[in-house]
Amino acid sequence: MATKRSRLAAVFESEQLHTGDLHGNWDLNFNVRNKFDFTKNQKKFIQTILAEDTKIVFADGSAGTAKTYLSVFGGLTLLAANKMQQIIYLRSVVESAAQKIGHLPRQLDEKFLPYSLPLMDKLDELVTKTTANSLFKKEYIKCLPVNFTRGLTFNNSLVIVDEAQNLTRQEITTILTRFGEDSRYIVVGDSNQSDINGKSGFAPIIKAFDNEISKNKGINAFYFGTDDIVRSKILKHIVHVLSDV
């Protein structure tokens, strides 16, 4: 926990909200490892993330379908290939992102740490701890609460919006309209597990973009089912049983 805390602190001790800054010198040299056998649907998801004409990728799926893992895997692959200059990880800070996390930047890492752990866990699976620490310290990877995105523009960035089912339509709209030059968005969530009492905007928005017109403009929608659960055999059974309850 101390190591993960120091990684996040390294981001928030700096001007972490200046997301348009470019790194003038690429000093990245790392490999991305993978321990799972991806399903056909997951392989297509990764291929879409890496495609040159991709702008936004949505993915709706249950727990265990590796949505966040795949998103970080794709982001690191693009970063290592110098296709993107940074990864921005966005997530609601509480059950409802409309609640405030407060101001005080030097305390923000303490408040946001529990919500950034999914990203850090995926990094620990995909790269060495030394690489993960370096990516945070040099600000190639940044974590931000959704509340802090208003007024920003994400340029040259791979933006991962995690747990999107806990965002309202207005919050997702705010994030999507932060789209800048040479960026890509990955928006993932589980429409069956929203914690904001029917106010989630995730399902309606992914449905609105799930059409040929959007696809031709580089916006794609994916849906992961129980066949895409790769993390645990027992989890596949649990999700299957709960879907019938």
Side-chain angles (χ1 to χ4, degrees), residues 30-115:
F30 65 91
N31 295 317
V32 184
R33 61 197 182 202
N34 170 50
K35 65 178 183 180
F36 295 113
D37 291 326
F38 294 150
T39 67
K40 182 178 180 180
N41 201 23
Q42 290 168 335
K43 289 178 181 177
K44 186 176 180 181
F45 180 69
I46 288 293
Q47 290 168 354
T48 302
I49 290 173
L50 301 181
E52 291 290 338
D53 59 349
T54 292
K55 301 300 182 184
I56 303 174
V57 185
F58 292 95
D60 188 356
S62 64
T65 52
K67 302 181 300 296
T68 304
Y69 180 94
L70 292 165
S71 300
V72 177
F73 178 89
L76 288 172
T77 302
L78 288 168
L79 193 64
N82 295 351
K83 299 293 186 180
M84 290 290 154
Q85 297 208 359
Q86 59 186 347
I87 296 173
I88 306 292
Y89 179 80
L90 302 178
R91 186 176 169 178
S92 168
V93 294
V94 283
E95 285 77 7
S96 172
Q99 299 184 43
K100 302 298 183 182
I101 195 173
H103 299 287
L104 304 180
R106 291 186 180 276
Q107 294 182 7
L108 191 52
D109 58 305
E110 296 287 337
K111 298 176 182 179
F112 192 53
L113 177 63
Y115 306 98

Side-chain angles (χ1 to χ4, degrees), residues 167-187:
L167 301 176
T168 66
R169 183 191 297 260
Q170 181 179 0
E171 287 162 347
I172 297 177
T173 298
T174 297
I175 293 169
L176 295 181
T177 54
R178 303 301 92 203
F179 202 101
E181 293 292 330
D182 301 317
S183 288
R184 298 181 200 181
Y185 274 38
I186 309 173
V187 184

Side-chain angles (χ1 to χ4, degrees), residues 143-162:
C143 300
L144 290 176
V146 167
N147 310 67
F148 281 64
T149 61
R150 187 176 295 277
L152 301 180
T153 300
F154 298 117
N155 295 313
N156 305 98
S157 303
L158 188 285
V159 180
I160 299 173
V161 184
D162 203 5

Side-chain angles (χ1 to χ4, degrees), residues 2-18:
T3 301
K4 292 179 179 179
R5 189 182 305 276
S6 64
R7 290 182 206 165
L8 192 58
V11 175
F12 287 108
E13 284 174 0
S14 64
E15 294 294 329
Q16 81 282 2
L17 299 182
H18 289 263

